Amino acid sequence: MNMNKTGATLLATLMLAATLAGCGGSGNGNKENAEGAGNGQATSAGPVDLEIAQISWGTNLPGEDFVKKELDAKLNLTITQTLVGDQADYENQMNVRAASNNLPDLFIATTKAHLQKLAESGSLLDLTPYLEKLPEYTAAAGEDVLKKGIIGDKQYALPKAGQARAYTYWIRKDWLDKLGLPKPATVDELLEVAKAFTEQDPDGNGKKDTMGLTGTNFQAFEPIFGAYGVTNIFDTTQLFVKDGKVVDTLYEPAMKEALTTIRKFLDAGVVDPELVSNKGTMAQDKAFQGKVGIINIDWAQMVKEDKVKVWKGANPKADWIQLDAPKGPDGSAYSNAVNIGMAGGLWAVPKRLEKEPEKLNKILELFNYTASADGGRLVQFGIKDTHYTLDGDKVVITDKGREEAGYTWLYQFAGREETDYLKTKFTDLAAYIDFEANMPRIETLDGFVQSPAGYNAADANRFIEEEMIKFIYGKNNIENYDKFLSTLESTFKYDTYVDAAVEQLNKLGYGK
């Protein structure tokens, strides 16, 4: 990963802090344990017990857990995973355990805000003095990844490396062919195609029962926002660098144009009327059932074998293809934004482990090993010559690997290089993966930002969403947009948040 000058200075400062912690100064727990941790020497002969907690999203560990068996043997460990399927439930459990000083030995903080809350409560160990004991992990992760785990000037989390770049519009090519239409290349052409899909009976059943565009709330319009060089206002993807400065998408002049264009789609009656209430797979289900011809979605939800069976089963003639991001008036074209400040996981360690150097040492070993070539292949693909083979340096997945290694991501503590990993796991889908990985995307920075005191992000974001819905559905005139910004600032202190965000991001080397 590339390192900018300011970022390199930051890491050098962190490394210097680590060195000083091990070379004298006032005595403290961090100094003592930094010297003892990561040196590969355990203080007892038996395996060290580690409880590791994370969100499983419904994935279960198998009875024959070959990854655990290998890690336990290699690192002299006994790993116990505490898995919770739902994010809200998981976060509640971790908060309760933090209050009783009973956090797991290693656990995921769900968001930067969750990490900030735990760090400010004194529940977490500052990992800054231990970075020098993590050479394999820090080299593999890179400086920009490490920044994601910083609160204040301290490293409170070890973020997972790697980030998926997916999502684009998918469109029914068979409907285009039926109506004699080319693939739309601009936003205006996209609107015309959506009208045709709604009005011209593309499925040929003699009924006016199809729609142009569906999705889940504002996510459906991400490429349209991108056509105006701004980002979707939903999911906190609002801060990015433009012309060398950090800007907020809500203040960009083109935002009014983007909202006005989105309203044209709604006024034309070509958008799923349940757009705002769609949840889970509702939009996807409508697309698969042949009710809609355009959807903003990722390749995994469209062309994995089980997904294809669903939409081919509903209509064997259906032919879904990926669509380039449509161009706006000035030629801008971006698929959904990618929040480069957001990590796939923020691994935190409870403060009590500064007094348990044996456990802390093993956690550092675990991160170094899973970031190494051999350890990385184990937790990504399974056992060599059983779940994968090597053709030179190239990993080739076996049939047994496809059958048995679907859970191994639960052990990818250091993360992974996302696109290469996916193309290795899904060789036959590599073209789809590459298409979306190579789409132009605005890189947003919101994940790096800590909310200033007195700013309630949940309340502000709720207000933003409610007002944006009014603008696109014609419940409020776009001429009142500046008034919306004034209320956002006066009532929700949004300007305070933006000022704090710019300061923090400048300090990290963005926009300065």
Side-chain angles (χ1 to χ4, degrees):
M1 295 185 180
N2 293 329
M3 298 186 185
N4 56 47
K5 183 177 179 181
T6 305
T9 302
L10 173 63
L11 185 57
T13 302
L14 293 175
M15 292 300 189
L16 177 60
T19 304
L20 294 175
C23 300
S26 59
N28 56 51
N30 281 356
K31 169 181 177 291
E32 177 183 351
N33 295 319
E35 291 170 344
N39 58 16
Q41 299 176 355
T43 58
S44 64
V48 175
D49 294 330
L50 283 184
E51 182 195 2
I52 301 174
Q54 59 181 311
I55 308 167
S56 68
W57 306 111
T59 301
N60 297 313
L61 295 170
E64 279 295 319
D65 188 346
F66 51 84
V67 179
K68 169 182 161 58
K69 183 178 178 181
E70 291 290 318
L71 289 176
D72 283 355
K74 176 75 175 179
L75 302 177
N76 196 27
L77 289 171
T78 300
I79 293 174
T80 300
Q81 292 233 35
T82 297
L83 302 177
V84 181
D86 176 75
Q87 178 171 329
D89 187 22
Y90 172 85
E91 188 169 329
N92 288 336
Q93 288 189 34
M94 292 305 106
N95 289 339
V96 169
R97 293 186 64 168
S100 59
N101 195 29
N102 183 35
L103 283 167
D105 302 311
L106 178 68
F107 68 99
I108 287 282
T110 56
T111 61
K112 189 65 172 281
H114 188 214
L115 181 70
Q116 182 179 353
K117 177 181 177 181
L118 291 171
E120 291 175 350
S121 73
S123 299
L124 303 184
L125 178 64
D126 173 16
L127 296 167
T128 309
Y130 307 97
L131 289 176
E132 67 175 4
K133 304 297 183 180
L134 289 163
E136 288 88 353
Y137 165 72
T138 55
E143 176 146 2
D144 288 338
V145 171
L146 287 174
K147 289 177 184 178
K148 301 176 184 182
I150 293 174
I151 300 293
D153 294 323
K154 298 180 179 180
Q155 191 82 39
Y156 278 110
L158 301 177
K160 279 188 175 184
Q163 189 171 40
R165 290 177 179 254
Y167 275 79
T168 190
Y169 275 141
W170 287 73
I171 191 167
R172 283 284 295 267
K173 182 178 184 298
D174 56 310
W175 284 11
L176 288 172
D177 293 344
K178 172 87 172 4
L179 301 177
L181 298 170
K183 289 192 299 183
T186 67
V187 171
D188 288 342
E189 291 174 4
L190 185 74
L191 177 56
E192 292 308 308
V193 168
K195 288 178 180 178
F197 283 180
T198 305
E199 300 167 356
Q200 298 180 24
D201 189 25
D203 60 356
N205 69 353
K207 301 177 183 178
K208 191 174 180 180
D209 58 358
T210 55
M211 298 176 288
L213 175 67
T214 192
T216 303
N217 212 321
F218 282 90
Q219 176 262 355
F221 304 120
E222 285 174 327
I224 299 177
F225 281 107
Y228 289 88
V230 295
T231 65
N232 179 4
I233 54 83
F234 202 40
D235 294 334
T236 58
T237 54
Q238 291 150 221
L239 299 162
F240 56 96
V241 173
K242 179 181 178 181
D243 299 329
K245 299 292 183 182
V246 174
V247 299
D248 185 300
T249 199
L250 296 177
Y251 292 92
E252 286 294 289
M255 177 56 75
K256 295 180 184 179
E257 298 176 61
L259 293 172
T260 299
T261 297
I262 291 169
R263 182 174 174 182
K264 289 180 182 178
F265 279 73
L266 289 156
D267 287 346
V270 303
V271 177
D272 179 359
E274 298 176 322
L275 184 86
V276 174
S277 59
N278 281 341
K279 299 185 185 302
T281 63
M282 289 174 63
Q284 181 187 29
D285 293 343
K286 293 170 186 175
F288 285 8
Q289 292 162 9
K291 296 179 180 179
V292 68
I294 306 167
I295 184 171
N296 187 33
I297 200 168
D298 71 293
W299 65 270
Q301 300 305 313
M302 290 298 291
V303 289
K304 281 188 176 180
E305 185 177 0
D306 59 326
K307 307 299 182 185
V308 175
K309 284 181 179 178
V310 175
W311 52 264
K312 281 290 188 183
N315 183 353
K317 295 182 179 180
D319 184 11
W320 285 98
I321 62 170
Q322 291 158 307
L323 192 64
D324 286 315
K327 295 178 181 178
D330 67 353
S332 294
Y334 297 98
S335 285
N336 72 313
V338 56
N339 188 345
I340 64 171
M342 183 178 292
L346 294 165
W347 290 107
V349 175
K351 186 172 176 59
R352 61 178 170 79
L353 257 64
E354 66 184 353
K355 297 181 181 179
E356 300 180 57
E358 191 174 32
K359 282 192 173 186
L360 182 56
N361 175 70
K362 288 300 180 185
I363 289 171
L364 302 183
E365 287 185 45
L366 184 62
F367 271 81
N368 279 328
Y369 181 63
T370 56
S372 70
D374 288 345
R377 285 194 287 261
L378 169 66
V379 298
Q380 291 180 51
F381 309 113
I383 307 297
K384 185 176 181 290
D385 296 326
T386 299
H387 299 104
Y388 74 92
T389 59
L390 284 178
D391 180 7
D393 292 331
K394 182 182 178 182
V395 172
V396 180
I397 306 297
T398 65
D399 290 341
K400 202 172 184 67
R402 293 186 183 91
E403 294 170 4
E404 298 182 351
Y407 76 96
T408 61
W409 66 270
L410 291 167
Y411 290 95
Q412 293 169 13
F413 304 110
R416 66 198 190 198
E417 204 297 311
E418 192 71 16
T419 300
D420 288 347
Y421 168 80
L422 292 171
K423 288 165 63 176
T424 300
K425 292 276 280 193
F426 305 100
T427 308
D428 55 332
L429 303 179
Y432 299 107
I433 296 168
D434 271 336
F435 184 96
E436 293 185 16
N438 293 327
M439 278 286 99
R441 302 179 193 278
I442 296 175
E443 295 186 340
T444 58
L445 308 168
D446 306 66
F448 290 117
V449 176
Q450 305 154 45
S451 294
Y455 177 70
N456 189 315
D459 288 348
N461 290 336
R462 188 180 305 110
F463 174 74
I464 292 168
E465 182 183 358
E466 290 171 352
E467 295 304 305
M468 291 298 184
I469 288 173
K470 292 178 184 177
F471 285 129
I472 65 171
Y473 279 96
K475 303 299 182 182
N476 193 0
N477 195 304
I478 197 67
E479 293 178 0
N480 294 323
Y481 188 84
D482 291 343
K483 183 178 179 181
F484 149 72
L485 289 179
S486 296
T487 303
L488 184 60
E489 294 173 351
S490 61
T491 303
F492 299 94
K493 301 181 180 179
Y494 191 74
D495 51 340
T496 302
Y497 166 74
V498 173
D499 289 344
V502 171
E503 182 179 356
Q504 292 173 46
L505 292 170
N506 286 169
K507 188 175 182 180
L508 290 175
Y510 297 102
K512 186 179 179 181

